[in-house]
Amino acid sequence: MKLVVLGLSITSSWGNGHATTYRALLKGVAARGHDVTFLERRVPWYEGSRDLPQPSFCRALLYDDLPELCRRHARLVAEADAVIVGSYVPDGVACAPSTTSTRR
């Protein structure tokens, strides 16, 4: 299964509880053989405090803004078997395909 997560942060646990939760969850998903990509918005307050910039259990890809997210990663999102849009990423759904897929 190809899983894409649009979340607050996985690369920095500074000032948030999201990273540690995502790390544990996605490490378990990857251990079961699934392909995991985490899409994280590049923001200044995490830039200097990344305690896991390259997770071993998933790809962490950074983007600057919504247009870049959609331009660079729309295909990845469209081809995923499942997509999780986490809290604090309300615009993430904008990159979802406009039609539903019947692919199984």
Side-chain angles (χ1 to χ4, degrees):
M1 175 177 74
K2 290 182 183 177
L3 174 65
V4 174
V5 179
L6 290 92
L8 179 63
S9 182
I10 198 168
T11 65
S12 174
S13 60
W14 178 84
N16 75 81
H18 295 241
T20 54
T21 301
Y22 280 129
R23 290 172 185 180
L25 175 66
L26 300 182
K27 190 173 188 177
V29 169
R32 286 164 178 77
H34 302 294
D35 179 54
V36 181
T37 302
F38 192 95
L39 300 175
E40 175 179 331
R41 188 171 185 166
R42 183 179 290 111
V43 291
W45 49 90
Y46 293 142
E47 201 68 41
S49 57
R50 298 195 192 287
D51 53 340
L52 189 64
Q54 300 290 327
S56 62
F57 50 87
C58 73
R59 279 180 308 286
L61 304 176
L62 303 178
Y63 62 92
D64 290 317
D65 53 26
L66 182 61
E68 181 187 4
L69 170 65
C70 294
R71 185 177 62 254
R72 289 184 52 210
H73 304 299
R75 185 173 183 172
L76 180 69
V77 170
E79 293 177 352
D81 296 303
V83 178
I84 296 171
V85 179
S87 58
Y88 294 97
V89 191
D91 293 332
V93 74
C95 290
S98 59
T99 59
T100 56
S101 172
T102 57
R103 183 173 53 95
R104 303 244 186 257

